[in-house]
mmCIF file of all heavy atoms in Angstrom:
data_model
loop_
_atom_site.group_PDB
_atom_site.id
_atom_site.type_symbol
_atom_site.label_atom_id
_atom_site.label_comp_id
_atom_site.label_asym_id
_atom_site.label_seq_id
_atom_site.Cartn_x
_atom_site.Cartn_y
_atom_site.Cartn_z
ATOM 1 N N SER A 273 122.093 -87.125 72.058
ATOM 2 C CA SER A 273 123.369 -86.955 71.371
ATOM 3 C C SER A 273 124.426 -86.666 72.411
ATOM 4 O O SER A 273 124.239 -85.854 73.286
ATOM 5 C CB SER A 273 123.284 -85.795 70.371
ATOM 6 O OG SER A 273 124.542 -85.512 69.847
ATOM 7 N N SER A 274 125.548 -87.330 72.310
ATOM 8 C CA SER A 274 126.586 -87.163 73.329
ATOM 9 C C SER A 274 127.451 -85.947 73.077
ATOM 10 O O SER A 274 128.226 -85.543 73.900
ATOM 11 C CB SER A 274 127.465 -88.418 73.354
ATOM 12 O OG SER A 274 128.075 -88.613 72.104
ATOM 13 N N LYS A 275 127.308 -85.346 71.902
ATOM 14 C CA LYS A 275 128.079 -84.131 71.624
ATOM 15 C C LYS A 275 127.286 -83.269 70.651
ATOM 16 O O LYS A 275 126.349 -83.707 70.011
ATOM 17 C CB LYS A 275 129.451 -84.472 71.052
ATOM 18 C CG LYS A 275 129.389 -85.334 69.783
ATOM 19 C CD LYS A 275 130.775 -85.706 69.320
ATOM 20 C CE LYS A 275 130.764 -86.570 68.073
ATOM 21 N NZ LYS A 275 132.090 -86.920 67.620
ATOM 22 N N PHE A 276 127.703 -82.017 70.531
ATOM 23 C CA PHE A 276 126.953 -81.090 69.713
ATOM 24 C C PHE A 276 127.345 -81.155 68.252
ATOM 25 O O PHE A 276 126.657 -80.665 67.395
ATOM 26 C CB PHE A 276 127.162 -79.644 70.212
ATOM 27 C CG PHE A 276 126.632 -79.417 71.576
ATOM 28 C CD1 PHE A 276 127.354 -78.716 72.530
ATOM 29 C CD2 PHE A 276 125.400 -79.927 71.927
ATOM 30 C CE1 PHE A 276 126.846 -78.518 73.794
ATOM 31 C CE2 PHE A 276 124.887 -79.729 73.185
ATOM 32 C CZ PHE A 276 125.615 -79.017 74.111
ATOM 33 N N GLY A 277 128.512 -81.679 67.941
ATOM 34 C CA GLY A 277 129.000 -81.667 66.574
ATOM 35 C C GLY A 277 128.108 -82.473 65.653
ATOM 36 O O GLY A 277 127.695 -83.560 65.972
ATOM 37 N N ARG A 278 127.787 -81.942 64.505
ATOM 38 C CA ARG A 278 126.998 -82.631 63.502
ATOM 39 C C ARG A 278 127.788 -82.763 62.215
ATOM 40 O O ARG A 278 128.619 -81.927 61.886
ATOM 41 C CB ARG A 278 125.732 -81.819 63.181
ATOM 42 C CG ARG A 278 124.449 -82.286 63.864
ATOM 43 C CD ARG A 278 124.463 -82.208 65.304
ATOM 44 N NE ARG A 278 123.132 -82.362 65.850
ATOM 45 C CZ ARG A 278 122.892 -82.230 67.106
ATOM 46 N NH1 ARG A 278 123.838 -81.954 67.940
ATOM 47 N NH2 ARG A 278 121.682 -82.400 67.571
ATOM 48 N N GLN A 279 127.475 -83.814 61.465
ATOM 49 C CA GLN A 279 128.083 -83.944 60.161
ATOM 50 C C GLN A 279 127.320 -83.058 59.194
ATOM 51 O O GLN A 279 126.111 -82.925 59.260
ATOM 52 C CB GLN A 279 128.016 -85.401 59.693
ATOM 53 C CG GLN A 279 128.830 -86.348 60.562
ATOM 54 C CD GLN A 279 128.697 -87.767 60.102
ATOM 55 O OE1 GLN A 279 127.962 -88.063 59.165
ATOM 56 N NE2 GLN A 279 129.391 -88.659 60.749
ATOM 57 N N THR A 280 128.037 -82.454 58.273
ATOM 58 C CA THR A 280 127.394 -81.590 57.310
ATOM 59 C C THR A 280 126.676 -82.428 56.267
ATOM 60 O O THR A 280 127.032 -83.570 56.006
ATOM 61 C CB THR A 280 128.434 -80.690 56.626
ATOM 62 O OG1 THR A 280 129.420 -81.520 56.003
ATOM 63 C CG2 THR A 280 129.106 -79.788 57.637
ATOM 64 N N SER A 281 125.644 -81.854 55.676
ATOM 65 C CA SER A 281 124.902 -82.556 54.641
ATOM 66 C C SER A 281 124.353 -81.528 53.682
ATOM 67 O O SER A 281 124.549 -80.326 53.829
ATOM 68 C CB SER A 281 123.776 -83.376 55.270
ATOM 69 O OG SER A 281 122.766 -82.500 55.735
ATOM 70 N N SER A 282 123.616 -82.011 52.717
ATOM 71 C CA SER A 282 123.069 -81.120 51.708
ATOM 72 C C SER A 282 121.834 -80.393 52.203
ATOM 73 O O SER A 282 121.337 -79.500 51.542
ATOM 74 C CB SER A 282 122.721 -81.925 50.450
ATOM 75 O OG SER A 282 121.782 -82.939 50.767
ATOM 76 N N LYS A 283 121.300 -80.788 53.367
ATOM 77 C CA LYS A 283 120.125 -80.133 53.902
ATOM 78 C C LYS A 283 120.475 -78.734 54.401
ATOM 79 O O LYS A 283 121.573 -78.492 54.871
ATOM 80 C CB LYS A 283 119.532 -80.949 55.058
ATOM 81 C CG LYS A 283 118.942 -82.278 54.622
ATOM 82 C CD LYS A 283 118.271 -82.948 55.807
ATOM 83 C CE LYS A 283 117.664 -84.276 55.385
ATOM 84 N NZ LYS A 283 116.982 -84.923 56.516
ATOM 85 N N PRO A 284 119.521 -77.787 54.302
ATOM 86 C CA PRO A 284 119.807 -76.444 54.815
ATOM 87 C C PRO A 284 119.952 -76.457 56.327
ATOM 88 O O PRO A 284 119.380 -77.276 57.022
ATOM 89 C CB PRO A 284 118.566 -75.640 54.381
ATOM 90 C CG PRO A 284 117.489 -76.666 54.230
ATOM 91 C CD PRO A 284 118.185 -77.904 53.736
ATOM 92 N N ARG A 285 120.729 -75.526 56.815
ATOM 93 C CA ARG A 285 120.936 -75.401 58.256
ATOM 94 C C ARG A 285 119.637 -74.967 58.929
ATOM 95 O O ARG A 285 118.952 -74.060 58.480
ATOM 96 C CB ARG A 285 122.032 -74.360 58.506
ATOM 97 C CG ARG A 285 122.385 -74.196 59.979
ATOM 98 C CD ARG A 285 123.404 -73.095 60.130
ATOM 99 N NE ARG A 285 124.690 -73.493 59.612
ATOM 100 C CZ ARG A 285 125.642 -74.046 60.342
ATOM 101 N NH1 ARG A 285 125.431 -74.282 61.616
ATOM 102 N NH2 ARG A 285 126.791 -74.361 59.804
ATOM 103 N N VAL A 286 119.286 -75.636 60.002
ATOM 104 C CA VAL A 286 118.053 -75.332 60.717
ATOM 105 C C VAL A 286 118.392 -74.514 61.957
ATOM 106 O O VAL A 286 119.110 -74.973 62.830
ATOM 107 C CB VAL A 286 117.327 -76.631 61.116
ATOM 108 C CG1 VAL A 286 116.063 -76.304 61.904
ATOM 109 C CG2 VAL A 286 116.979 -77.447 59.876
ATOM 110 N N ASP A 287 117.888 -73.274 62.013
ATOM 111 C CA ASP A 287 118.123 -72.425 63.179
ATOM 112 C C ASP A 287 117.098 -72.763 64.256
ATOM 113 O O ASP A 287 116.234 -71.958 64.602
ATOM 114 C CB ASP A 287 118.022 -70.956 62.790
ATOM 115 C CG ASP A 287 119.317 -70.457 62.198
ATOM 116 O OD1 ASP A 287 120.284 -71.239 62.168
ATOM 117 O OD2 ASP A 287 119.363 -69.304 61.749
#
Side-chain angles (χ1 to χ4, degrees):
S273 172
S274 60
K275 56 184 179 180
F276 296 136
R278 260 63 166 185
Q279 295 178 357
T280 58
S281 72
S282 59
K283 292 185 180 181
R285 183 184 289 268
V286 178
D287 277 356

